[in-house]
Amino acid sequence: DAYAVIGFPFATVAAAFAKPANWCETLILHLNVQYCRSGTSDGRPQISAAVGKKTNQPLDDMHRINFVYKVVVSSADYTRVELSSREGPLGTGNYLIALELTALDEQRAFMHIQYSYTQGFLARCATSVYFSTSGRNKVGFTWIHHEDDPPYLVRGVRGALERNTMRYYLALDAYLRALGSPAEQRFEQSIEGWFAGTERFARQLREVKHDDYITMKRGQYLRQQAVL
């Protein structure tokens, strides 16, 4: 979970994320989301995302997650939008990305982001290997306190969930900050804003260099516009 008071009017944010296509403009900012397309499945809005490594990959080499998109509640001062998927890669499932928004005043809103999933046997094996090798030094945001030890930042699966939750929050924030610009400038502003946001939390979120991220996302965005 991530909570924030944001400097945007409730109506602006609620309207922006009431459209599935705008979620794809947002999710593509995440380092591991390399493709996103909105559509329908069985008459219901759907968002299909391709997730992979932190470097460019062909679409066939990535994992697809098909999210059901749903506006659960929509009122004059509160909204909840959910992206959910029963199945994911490597035996993961029950994915949920949820946005809750409450109006505070004319210029501010309170935002709550939820991100969660469950792991099967294969996923637990894969994450165990990852956290004992290349992911062993990665940390999240929660400080762990024990009486006899100095406090330390959480690691493991909880740390990974916290990092991804923050990446999604920063994507929402970057997309909103770019809305006031001309349409042809918004994506460039969004990717610059997302990278700058992650640099504020470099201990947890720094993975690639600025120019590598910008070049990669430009190419992925062009592919997203062209490939169905």
Side-chain angles (χ1 to χ4, degrees), residues 196-207:
T198 63
E199 284 294 287
R200 292 167 50 205
F201 309 100
R203 174 71 177 90
Q204 290 89 354
L205 302 182
R206 180 178 289 165
E207 298 281 357

Side-chain angles (χ1 to χ4, degrees), residues 6 10 13 27 29 53 79 92 102 109 127 159 165 173 187-188 198-199 201 206:
I6 58 174
F10 168 84
V13 184
L27 295 178
L29 305 178
K53 300 177 181 179
T79 190
T92 56
T102 303
T127 53
T165 302
D173 181 70
F187 182 71
E188 284 291 319
T198 63
E199 284 294 287
F201 309 100
R206 180 178 289 165

Side-chain angles (χ1 to χ4, degrees), residues 39-46 68-69:
T40 58
S41 177
D42 298 325
R44 296 185 297 176
Q46 176 180 277
V68 175
Y69 168 88

Side-chain angles (χ1 to χ4, degrees), residues 33-200:
V33 179
Q34 300 197 19
Y35 174 87
C36 183
R37 180 65 67 120
S38 61
T40 58
S41 177
D42 298 325
R44 296 185 297 176
Q46 176 180 277
I47 293 173
S48 179
V51 296
K53 300 177 181 179
K54 300 174 180 67
T55 54
N56 264 324
Q57 294 173 268
L59 286 176
D60 290 343
D61 291 348
M62 288 182 282
H63 301 288
R64 286 294 183 109
I65 304 179
N66 295 318
F67 293 100
V68 175
Y69 168 88
K70 184 178 182 180
V71 178
V72 180
V73 182
S74 179
S75 68
D77 58 3
Y78 173 78
T79 190
R80 179 179 173 90
V81 181
E82 293 182 355
L83 280 61
S84 60
S85 177
R86 293 180 62 185
E87 297 181 353
L90 299 173
T92 56
N94 300 315
Y95 278 83
L96 175 66
I97 300 173
L99 164 66
E100 280 189 301
L101 195 71
T102 303
L104 293 179
D105 54 38
E106 292 184 355
Q107 298 299 323
R108 299 181 306 153
F110 183 78
M111 178 186 285
H112 173 209
I113 302 295
Q114 290 178 277
Y115 173 66
S116 63
Y117 64 90
T118 57
Q119 288 188 323
F121 176 74
L122 285 177
R124 288 196 297 271
C125 290
T127 53
S128 178
V129 171
Y130 172 72
F131 291 127
S132 64
T133 54
S134 59
R136 64 182 178 274
N137 293 321
K138 294 184 181 297
V139 298
F141 292 86
T142 298
W143 286 95
I144 306 298
H145 298 266
H146 293 300
E147 288 186 5
D148 300 327
D149 299 312
Y152 60 92
L153 288 166
V154 68
R155 298 175 184 268
V157 174
R158 172 61 185 264
L161 278 167
E162 292 184 356
R163 291 193 298 275
N164 268 328
T165 302
M166 181 61 79
R167 288 184 179 114
Y168 285 123
Y169 164 73
L170 292 172
L172 293 167
D173 181 70
Y175 176 80
L176 289 169
R177 290 180 184 277
L179 276 181
S181 301
E184 64 274 12
Q185 299 176 15
R186 288 175 191 165
F187 182 71
E188 284 291 319
Q189 291 194 11
S190 293
I191 54 178
E192 290 286 354
W194 187 90
F195 189 87
T198 63
E199 284 294 287
R200 292 167 50 205

